[in-house]
């Protein structure tokens, strides 16, 4: 029985990281239609910044998470200005932007490897102190993920619905041409979108770093799951993506109760396959038609 | 005009691909996607093929002082890159420098040339081809069963000695007349651990985590057979893949079997270190019994106090050699470093007796009755597979020490 509950907890925690990543990726995709794989890079950057702050500078891990946010946001904005804007100015299409994103990803990932070394930079040597709560093992990683999600997800939701900038983002996601007509400052909004999306990706990276250490290629698997979450939850509907992420985390971990670990990936991508075939609009499909984010 | 541009770009691409095929195998592809294909690299011959040098013994005096090159194909990117550099390559370089300090082999200096196999069979073959066709090495030291087996056809075709120092798959030696090793087979290691466990564990029951690859699976099968025949019980088995980072699911499942010992079979220290760390984080104080390799700084870095008391098997390594290595490089080597050191020394014996004629080299190497190297006593005696000594060790205060 306690195994089951532990798996549920693990599932929620895994889902939390996927949720942050899928929200970040989803915000950028919805508003700009750019398949921003460079988010992987921001993820890794978040991981390295976290590592540097905790191990190099000696900041308390929980504070370090706070610092990762503005730094990742900055990185995201820089990416937009340097990589995507020139292409958009020349009327480059979405495919071109994706290729640019992919190319820079490969280049810069290897730059990371060159600059920081290939080996995993461990944030905490040895096992983290774990607490025993009602028979469940709870580690600082579990706590961090839950706290970060509990704070960041509602804050993002509030930003998108209650602030002028947030509404501009949603306007762009809904209909970019009309958004211009009603006076949305597109370039500035793009910057906001990238800042927000990258901050989320960077946070996810920092959490991963807390758990596993920083490594140049971290983030690749997470973004895969993030994309699956976005599709399962319903493309264009952000709360759907978050729900999809938690669902994914739970399915991934609970499936272990009945099958062996080797089949985990099969389960995840099998789920994706089923959705694409039978319900491509995702779980919250009908919601998309009437109310897109 | 546009068509001309497109043609030009295509030409540049084609040239670029050809050039990368001929240069080092460090193609910029994310190494974390193990199944992702590297940009298609045709195994093309070098365009600027200079005078074709045969592998026969040097004739003119102009070639008399050309260095003898020994190739190496290892994982030089990703999590294992550090381990490779500090143990596999350092072991070879240590031997090479020692030989050169004594004047080389018959006047020829020794030189090591290393290429990245990325732990992938296709890349391993490309790396080996580069070494054989461009650097003209008579022998290649390699690692990893699946990479080595992919390289065997190349060895057979080009008559190159393939020294898979630490590969444990039993079929290695019989699949080709050019393969060598100085390591216990996976089966030997599995049965060695099983015998020790059956003798020393009380209760005689274990849970098992093993890596999914041919050699390790074989190791686990042998372990299970020998262990259960001696009255031991395997309470549960879970698997993991190389480069996996999260083992908590498997550990949760195994923990529910209430086993007091956890046997871990794997081919690299990193995953084992993470398994130990995550097990302790879950509050599971199980006794770890681990296969080699494990001796790496990253093991202690990642697992920290979780690794304390873990028991593992290792090849016997001469303490005097360890001291010499440590004095020179400043850290303790992994047994694989010793295996690669001895590989170079054995290949050097071949070079000494047969020049770069690989048939003569192989013959000379198998004729070695007894060689005293970093691994202690190695016995070839007509076989291409040296018999080596083994022992059980443990981690005490962050140090790798013999288990008394």
């Amino acid at each position: 029985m306690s195994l089951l509950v532990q798996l549920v907890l693990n599932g929620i925690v895994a889902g939390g990281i996927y949720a942050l990543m899928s929200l970040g990726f989803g915000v950028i995709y919805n508003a700009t239609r750019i398949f921003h794989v460079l988010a992987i890079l921001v993820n890794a950057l978040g991981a390295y910044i976290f590592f540097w702050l905790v191990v190099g500078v000696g900041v308390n891990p929980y504070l370090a998470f706070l610092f990762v946010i503005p730094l990742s946001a900055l990185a995201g904005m820089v990416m937009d200005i340097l990589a995507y804007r020139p292409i958009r100015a020349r009327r480059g299409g979405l495919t071109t932007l994706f290729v640019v994103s992919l190319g820079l990803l490969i280049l810069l990932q290897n730059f990371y490897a060159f600059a920081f070394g290939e080996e995993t930079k461990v944030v905490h040597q040895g096992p983290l102190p774990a607490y025993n709560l009602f028979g469940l093992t709870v580690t600082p990683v579990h706590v961090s993920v839950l706290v970060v999600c509990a704070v960041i997800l509602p804050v993002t939701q509030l930003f998108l619905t209650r602030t002028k900038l947030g509404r501009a983002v949603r306007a762009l996601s809904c209909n970019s041409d009309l958004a211009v007509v009603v006076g949305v400052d597109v370039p500035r909004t793009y910057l906001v979108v990238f800042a927000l999306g990258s901050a989320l990706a960077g946070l996810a990276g920092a959490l991963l770093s807390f758990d596993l250490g920083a490594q140049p290629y971290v983030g690749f698997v997470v973004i895969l799951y993030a994309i699956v979450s976005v599709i399962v939850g319903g493309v264009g509907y952000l709360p759907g993506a978050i729900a999809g992420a938690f669902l994914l985390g739970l399915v991934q971990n609970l499936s272990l109760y009945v099958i062996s670990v080797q089949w985990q990936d099969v389960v995840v991508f099998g789920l994706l396959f089923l959705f694409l075939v039978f319900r491509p609009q995702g779980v919250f499909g009908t919601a998309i038609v009437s109310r897109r984010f | 005009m546009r068509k001309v541009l497109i043609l030009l770009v295509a030409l540049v691409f084609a040239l670029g691909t050809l050039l990368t095929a001929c240069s080092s195998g460090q193609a910029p592809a994310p190494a974390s996607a193990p199944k992702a294909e590297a940009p298609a690299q045709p195994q093309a011959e070098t365009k600027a093929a200079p005078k074709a040098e045969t592998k026969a013994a040097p004739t003119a005096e102009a070639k008399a002082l050309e260095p003898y090159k020994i190739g190496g194909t290892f994982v030089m990117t990703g999590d294992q890159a550090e381990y490779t550099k500090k143990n596999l390559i350092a072991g070879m370089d240590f031997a090479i420098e020692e030989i050169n300090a004594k004047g080389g082999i018959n006047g020829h200096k020794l030189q090591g040339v290393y290429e990245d196999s990325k732990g992938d069979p296709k890349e391993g073959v490309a790396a080996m081809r580069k070494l054989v066709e461009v650097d003209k090495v008579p022998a290649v030291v390699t690692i990893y069963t699946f990479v080595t087996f992919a390289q065997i056809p190349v060895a057979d075709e080009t008559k190159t000695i393939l020294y898979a120092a630490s590969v444990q798959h039993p079929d290695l030696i019989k699949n080709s007349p050019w393969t060598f090793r100085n390591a216990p087979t996976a089966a030997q290691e599995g049965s060695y651990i099983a015998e020790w466990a059956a003798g020393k564990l009380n209760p005689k029951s274990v849970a098992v985590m093993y890596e999914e690859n041919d050699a390790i699976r074989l190791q686990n099968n042998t372990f299970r057979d020998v262990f259960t025949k001696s009255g031991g019980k395997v309470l549960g088995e879970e698997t993991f893949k190389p480069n996996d980072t999260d083992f908590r699911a498997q550990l949760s499942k195994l923990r529910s079997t209430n086993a007091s010992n956890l046997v871990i079979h794997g081919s690299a220290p990193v995953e084992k270190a993470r398994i130990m760390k995550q097990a302790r984080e879950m509050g599971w104080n199980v006794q770890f019994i681990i296969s080699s390799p494990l001796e790496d700084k990253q093991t202690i870095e990642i697992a920290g106090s979780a690794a304390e008391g873990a028991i593992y098997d290792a090849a016997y390594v001469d303490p005097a050699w360890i001291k010499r290595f440590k004095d020179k490089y400043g850290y303790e080597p992994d047994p694989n470093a010793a295996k690669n050191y001895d590989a170079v020394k054995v290949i050097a014996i071949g070079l000494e007796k047969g020049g770069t004629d690989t048939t003569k080299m192989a013959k000379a190497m198998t004729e070695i009755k007894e060689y005293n190297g970093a691994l202690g006593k190695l016995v070839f005696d007509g076989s291409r597979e040296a018999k080596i000594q083994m022992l059980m060790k443990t981690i005490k205060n962050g140090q790798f020490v013999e288990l008394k």
Side-chain angles (χ1 to χ4, degrees):
Chain A
M1 182 55 209
S2 65
L3 172 63
L4 197 59
V5 183
Q6 180 75 48
L7 287 176
V8 168
L9 177 64
N10 290 353
I12 295 178
V13 170
I17 296 190
Y18 303 151
L20 287 169
M21 197 71 184
S22 61
L23 189 62
F25 185 81
V27 159
I28 295 178
Y29 181 73
N30 288 349
T32 68
R33 293 288 179 278
I34 299 178
F35 209 78
H36 181 63
V37 284
L38 274 175
I40 299 176
L41 227 51
V42 181
N43 195 291
L45 188 69
Y48 275 113
I49 293 177
F50 183 74
F51 166 77
W52 172 68
L53 283 174
V54 174
V55 175
V57 180
V59 178
N60 182 304
Y62 301 106
L63 275 181
F65 286 127
L66 278 172
F67 284 115
V68 168
I69 298 176
L71 289 169
S72 323
L74 203 64
M77 288 196 279
V78 165
M79 280 176 193
D80 180 42
I81 297 176
L82 291 181
Y84 296 138
R85 258 202 204 169
I87 309 289
R88 286 202 300 271
R90 287 178 184 65
R91 303 224 151 282
L94 291 171
T95 323
T96 317
L97 288 164
F98 170 61
V99 172
V100 168
S101 196
L102 189 61
L104 279 174
L105 173 69
I106 295 176
L107 182 70
L108 291 171
Q109 257 190 342
N110 281 276
F111 173 71
Y112 274 167
F114 176 69
F116 302 119
E118 301 264 358
E119 79 279 6
T120 311
K121 299 240 185 293
V122 182
V123 170
H124 183 274
Q125 198 201 67
L128 290 164
Y131 319 104
N132 202 309
L133 224 61
F134 314 115
L136 289 175
T137 314
V138 178
T139 65
V141 177
H142 287 155
V143 172
S144 316
V145 173
L146 290 172
V147 166
V148 168
C149 284
V151 169
I152 296 290
L153 293 178
V155 164
T156 311
Q157 169 80 351
L158 281 172
F159 171 75
L160 286 173
T161 46
R162 297 286 174 86
T163 68
K164 193 146 179 254
L165 271 176
R167 282 203 288 266
V169 172
R170 283 169 54 208
L172 258 186
S173 314
C174 184
N175 189 323
S176 47
D177 296 320
L178 262 180
V180 175
V181 169
V182 299
V184 167
D185 182 346
V186 175
R188 195 164 85 114
T189 316
Y190 266 52
L191 275 181
V192 171
V193 165
F194 275 99
L196 179 62
S198 306
L200 289 163
L203 260 180
L207 284 166
L208 278 173
S209 177
F210 195 27
D211 190 21
L212 301 170
Q215 205 232 114
Y217 309 108
V218 81
F220 183 77
V221 178
V222 184
I223 212 182
L224 226 50
Y225 288 152
I227 295 174
V228 173
S229 312
V230 168
I231 294 180
V232 163
V235 177
Y237 186 55
L238 287 173
I242 298 176
F246 280 109
L247 179 68
L248 200 65
L250 280 168
V251 167
Q252 219 192 5
N253 280 276
L254 284 174
S255 63
L256 285 159
Y257 203 59
V258 280
I259 59 175
S260 183
V261 164
Q262 306 138 274
W263 298 99
Q264 246 185 355
D265 277 345
V266 175
V267 168
V268 169
F269 290 104
L271 193 70
L272 173 68
F273 179 73
L274 284 172
F275 266 93
L276 285 174
V277 170
F278 293 113
R279 202 179 160 89
Q281 66 271 50
V283 171
F284 298 93
T286 45
I288 293 180
V289 176
S290 53
R291 178 168 90 95
R292 276 186 78 146
F293 235 76
Chain B
M1 182 58 197
R2 223 156 146 220
K3 286 212 187 117
V4 178
L5 259 161
I6 296 180
L7 211 62
L8 269 170
V9 172
L11 246 155
V12 170
F13 252 97
L15 269 167
T17 341
L18 269 172
L19 282 172
T20 33
C22 307
S23 66
S24 101
Q26 293 244 342
S32 68
K35 292 164 204 99
E37 308 278 286
Q41 297 178 351
Q43 254 91 316
E45 310 279 291
T46 333
K47 281 195 304 177
K51 50 261 159 178
E53 301 175 356
T54 58
K55 289 227 193 74
T59 48
E61 55 159 38
K63 290 191 193 159
L65 294 175
E66 237 175 52
Y68 283 151
K69 295 188 191 172
I70 300 184
T73 53
F74 308 118
V75 181
M76 291 165 72
T77 43
D79 248 342
Q80 298 191 14
E82 183 82 359
Y83 173 80
T84 297
K85 191 169 66 150
K86 293 170 78 164
N87 291 294
L88 305 178
I89 296 184
M92 287 181 68
D93 281 340
F94 190 23
I96 291 173
E97 282 169 29
E98 265 187 8
I99 294 174
N100 285 344
K102 296 203 183 103
I105 302 174
N106 294 334
H108 296 259
K109 289 276 185 206
L110 212 54
Q111 194 187 352
V113 188
Y114 309 109
E115 293 295 338
D116 193 359
S117 69
K118 297 200 174 76
D120 174 68
K122 220 163 44 92
E123 297 283 341
V125 168
M128 182 173 175
R129 278 212 183 268
K130 184 256 175 186
L131 288 169
V132 171
E133 287 162 13
V134 176
D135 298 292
K136 311 275 188 245
V137 300
V140 172
V141 180
T142 184
I143 193 170
Y144 280 126
T145 311
F146 36 95
V147 173
T148 312
F149 274 67
Q151 293 171 320
I152 284 180
V154 180
D156 288 343
E157 178 198 312
T158 58
K159 297 203 177 56
T160 306
I161 290 177
L162 193 58
Y163 208 116
S166 44
V167 166
Q168 299 181 287
H169 200 285
D171 288 344
L172 177 75
I173 298 300
K174 68 177 198 283
N175 277 9
S176 160
W178 298 103
T179 47
F180 282 79
R181 72 162 145 224
N182 44 1
T185 61
Q188 274 174 10
E189 194 175 352
S191 105
Y192 183 78
I193 301 178
E195 279 164 12
W196 178 88
K200 297 282 182 152
L201 291 181
N202 189 9
K204 252 200 267 201
S205 57
V206 300
V208 176
M209 281 268 277
Y210 66 95
E211 187 179 310
E212 292 213 29
N213 72 57
D214 275 345
I216 301 291
R217 216 174 281 132
L218 179 67
Q219 186 172 314
N220 183 45
N221 289 340
T222 318
F223 169 83
R224 198 194 309 124
D225 288 342
V226 174
F227 190 59
T228 46
K229 269 206 196 79
S230 321
K233 282 178 68 173
V234 175
L235 299 172
E237 284 184 355
E238 292 293 327
T239 63
F240 62 94
K241 297 190 292 291
N243 291 322
D244 267 357
T245 48
D246 195 334
F247 309 93
R248 281 174 267 249
Q250 297 96 313
L251 286 168
S252 301
K253 256 181 134 172
L254 286 175
R255 186 182 190 175
S256 57
T257 65
N258 283 323
S260 33
N261 303 292
L262 178 64
V263 174
I264 311 178
H265 299 296
S267 52
V270 162
E271 289 94 8
K272 297 170 194 164
R274 284 206 209 273
I275 292 175
M276 290 195 281
K277 170 179 170 180
Q278 289 171 6
R280 289 289 185 263
E281 274 175 2
M282 286 168 48
W284 194 23
N285 283 323
V286 71
Q287 168 69 53
F288 300 117
I289 301 172
I290 311 183
S291 73
S292 64
L294 189 68
E295 289 184 2
D296 185 64
K297 197 172 67 122
Q298 269 216 326
T299 305
I300 305 293
E301 237 175 54
I302 292 179
S305 59
E308 205 57 26
I311 297 177
Y312 63 100
D313 77 289
Y316 169 79
V317 183
D318 182 11
W321 180 86
I322 295 181
K323 182 163 186 313
R324 276 189 7 241
F325 187 101
K326 196 166 176 193
D327 285 343
K328 180 171 168 112
Y329 290 98
Y331 57 86
E332 289 226 7
D334 178 272
N336 280 336
K339 289 181 192 148
N340 276 17
Y341 172 97
D342 281 343
V344 169
K345 287 277 173 121
V346 169
I347 293 174
I349 293 178
L351 284 166
E352 196 189 1
K353 298 218 164 70
T356 48
D357 181 335
T358 50
T359 317
K360 294 203 183 112
M361 282 175 73
K363 184 159 178 294
M365 283 156 72
T366 52
E367 279 170 359
I368 298 174
K369 283 255 182 308
E370 199 180 284
Y371 159 74
N372 275 308
L375 292 173
K377 194 170 70 164
L378 284 186
V379 178
F380 282 92
D381 201 15
S383 151
R384 282 175 282 119
E385 184 175 39
K387 296 208 189 352
I388 71 173
Q389 307 164 258
M390 298 188 63
L391 75 166
M392 294 303 272
K393 298 177 81 167
T394 185
I395 299 181
K396 211 167 174 191
N397 297 326
Q399 303 289 331
F400 303 108
V401 298
E402 198 177 323
L403 181 69
K404 296 287 190 273

